[in-house]
């Protein structure tokens, strides 16, 4: 199993290892979502340290158990975790743990989720039904979460936020935003929506 730092340039100083002096609240966040939704891409785009990935190339055997509908171009998959870190204004530092999106890695969920304060659930609007299992898992764990619709170029146009919220069966207070996982600013905005939600629920202390 490959487990090596990404060569993708990171936000800020990619070789920085130490926490900034302004760090006050250290928060573990899950980046969850179905197979091929962009979790690794989002962590790559925002991490201020060189991200850690545990990826393997898709094989013929995995293709028989993983649903490749809508993601036929995907060549690798996370088999344990992705990991990155980002410092936000106010001294909040997020440790980002990307979780595998396939059902066959569900047994890893409890270990990865342990100690997390919340989850950002990425959704592909081209295949909303692929998100139901992950959303159910997050809800069963009791984690507060926000939903980020990753804006794929060929995604269909849905008619209004309320229709999407109904399709995903979201509670009224669950934040839902649109982001481009490839873009650091857009991805940070999605993470800030989650942090604001956690602050509103007194999970993260506001500074």
């Amino acid at each position: 199993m490959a487990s090596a730092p990404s060569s993708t340039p990171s936000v800020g100083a990619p070789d920085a290892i130490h926490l900034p002096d302004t760090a006050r609240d250290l928060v573990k966040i899950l980046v969850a979502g179905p197979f091929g939704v962009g979790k690794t891409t989002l962590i790559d785009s925002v991490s201020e340290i060189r991200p850690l990935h545990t990826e393997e190339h898709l094989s013929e055997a995995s293709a028989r158990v993983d649903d490749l509908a809508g993601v036929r171009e995907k060549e690798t998959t996370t088999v344990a975790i992705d990991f990155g870190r980002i410092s936000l204004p106010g001294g909040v530092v997020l440790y980002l743990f990307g979780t595998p999106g396939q059902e066959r890695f569900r047994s890893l969920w409890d270990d990865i989720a342990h100690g997390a304060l919340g989850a950002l659930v990425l959704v592909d609007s081209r295949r909303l039904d692929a998100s139901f299992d992950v959303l159910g898992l997050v809800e069963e764990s009791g984690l507060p979460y926000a939903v980020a619709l990753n804006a794929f170029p060929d995604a269909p146009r849905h008619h209004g936020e309320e229709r999407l919220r109904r399709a995903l069966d979201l509670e009224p207070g669950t934040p839902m935003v649109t982001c481009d996982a490839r873009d650091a600013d857009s991805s940070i905005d999605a993470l800030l929506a989650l942090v604001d939600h956690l602050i509103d629920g007194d999970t993260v202390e506001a500074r």
Side-chain angles (χ1 to χ4, degrees):
M1 179 177 70
S3 179
S6 167
S7 60
T8 305
S10 304
V11 173
D15 295 323
I17 297 175
H18 302 292
L19 284 171
D21 293 337
T22 55
R24 295 180 179 178
D25 295 310
L26 311 181
V27 183
K28 179 179 179 179
I29 294 295
L30 302 186
V31 179
F35 176 63
V37 77
K39 301 181 293 293
T40 299
T41 300
L42 184 141
I43 291 174
D44 273 352
S45 74
V46 302
S47 184
E48 65 194 7
I49 61 173
R50 198 170 296 279
L52 172 71
H53 300 304
T54 52
E55 291 195 315
E56 285 284 1
H57 285 280
L58 290 170
S59 64
E60 291 184 10
S62 65
R64 289 195 291 268
V65 295
D66 295 331
D67 184 3
L68 299 180
V71 288
R72 290 287 175 184
E73 72 283 359
K74 188 168 174 61
E75 297 179 349
T76 61
T77 183
T78 299
V79 295
I81 62 167
D82 294 315
F83 175 76
R85 189 187 78 199
I86 180 172
S87 300
L88 299 177
V92 175
V93 177
L94 304 184
Y95 290 98
L96 305 175
F97 289 76
T99 64
Q102 299 98 302
E103 177 66 25
R104 61 194 172 100
F105 295 117
R106 184 172 181 141
S107 60
L108 295 172
W109 175 267
D110 288 341
D111 289 335
I112 298 174
H114 181 73
L117 293 188
L120 181 68
V121 180
L122 285 180
V123 170
D124 183 347
S125 61
R126 301 171 301 176
R127 46 192 185 102
L128 291 178
D129 57 341
S131 301
F132 295 158
D133 286 345
V134 175
L135 285 168
L137 196 58
V138 173
E139 290 174 353
E140 287 171 17
S141 71
L143 285 175
Y145 67 95
V147 169
L149 299 167
N150 194 8
F152 289 92
D154 58 342
R157 291 187 177 182
H158 292 270
H159 300 290
E161 178 179 335
E162 286 308 312
R163 180 175 178 179
L164 277 172
R165 296 184 69 89
R166 288 196 301 269
L168 294 170
D169 196 24
L170 299 181
E171 294 290 336
T174 302
M176 187 179 74
V177 298
T178 299
C179 78
D180 182 341
R182 301 167 299 180
D183 180 76
D185 289 339
S186 180
S187 297
I188 289 170
D189 285 344
L191 289 166
L192 285 171
L194 171 62
V195 170
D196 287 344
H197 183 49
L198 297 180
I199 290 173
D200 289 343
D202 295 328
T203 306
V204 175
E205 182 181 356
R207 295 288 181 178

